Amino acid sequence: MTRPALRVFLPRLSMESPMRLIAFVVAASALTLSACSQGGEAPAASGEPPAAAPILSGVDLSKPVSLIGTEPFWGIQLTGGELVYSGVDRPEQRAPLPPAVIQGTVATFQTRSASGTVFDVTLTSTECSDGMSDRTFPLTALVKVGDETLMGCAASSEALARAGESGPVV
């Protein structure tokens, strides 16, 4: 902007009063910057990194996971904050599902049903075969239901639904 144009917009400011001119420019710059940033500000960071999803052998444990076993036939669904246990000639039992405790290649869950049955679930990052099909699972499951110990395999419920009767469940 040339000086004559500047004098049109700022008739009271003259080159003899440089402090007024500097104050005006600073104020105008601040207003311009604040107008540009309104509405598009990101929320302040909490300083904590986002929590990482609990993943074991490629299985996201924060999403539904299916555990299955044979002899005796049993199944557990870990889903939506709940453990659902069922089996042949066994009543279905439900228990709240706490977050997994992961140590290296092992994840554990401990909970109790409303009827008092204790469930200790241990998932290990080792390939597993259920012994009845030609499928291989990414996790081995050890489950204690009260005084009974059950062995089986586990995978994400989504992967199990997609899997056929043979090959890896991924």
Side-chain angles (χ1 to χ4, degrees):
M1 199 177 282
T2 64
R3 282 191 186 178
L6 185 58
R7 288 189 191 273
V8 169
F9 289 103
L10 308 171
R12 292 189 178 182
L13 294 175
S14 67
M15 296 315 280
E16 291 91 41
S17 59
M19 293 305 286
R20 281 184 158 176
L21 182 60
I22 291 171
F24 176 81
V25 171
V26 169
S29 297
L31 288 172
T32 302
L33 288 174
S34 69
C36 290
S37 66
Q38 287 180 357
E41 294 179 19
S46 66
E48 296 179 21
I55 296 178
L56 189 65
S57 226
V59 178
D60 183 345
L61 300 178
S62 68
K63 296 187 176 173
V65 176
S66 296
L67 290 68
I68 60 171
T70 59
E71 299 181 23
F73 288 100
W74 60 272
I76 290 180
Q77 297 297 313
L78 306 177
T79 176
E82 185 176 48
L83 177 150
V84 181
Y85 168 75
S86 60
V88 175
D89 297 330
R90 295 164 188 249
E92 180 180 279
Q93 295 187 58
R94 295 174 177 267
L97 184 64
V101 175
I102 299 177
Q103 295 178 329
T105 59
V106 176
T108 57
F109 301 88
Q110 295 180 336
T111 189
R112 181 182 302 265
S113 71
S115 64
T117 304
V118 175
F119 290 90
D120 287 323
V121 177
T122 302
L123 300 176
T124 306
S125 181
T126 57
E127 191 173 87
C128 180
S129 171
D130 63 13
M132 299 292 286
S133 70
D134 291 326
R135 296 183 289 192
T136 55
F137 297 78
L139 301 171
T140 298
L142 171 70
V143 180
K144 291 185 181 179
V145 180
D147 294 332
E148 185 178 19
T149 300
L150 304 169
M151 294 293 298
C153 302
S156 76
S157 298
E158 182 181 316
L160 192 56
R162 285 191 315 255
E165 289 300 314
S166 63
V169 179
V170 291

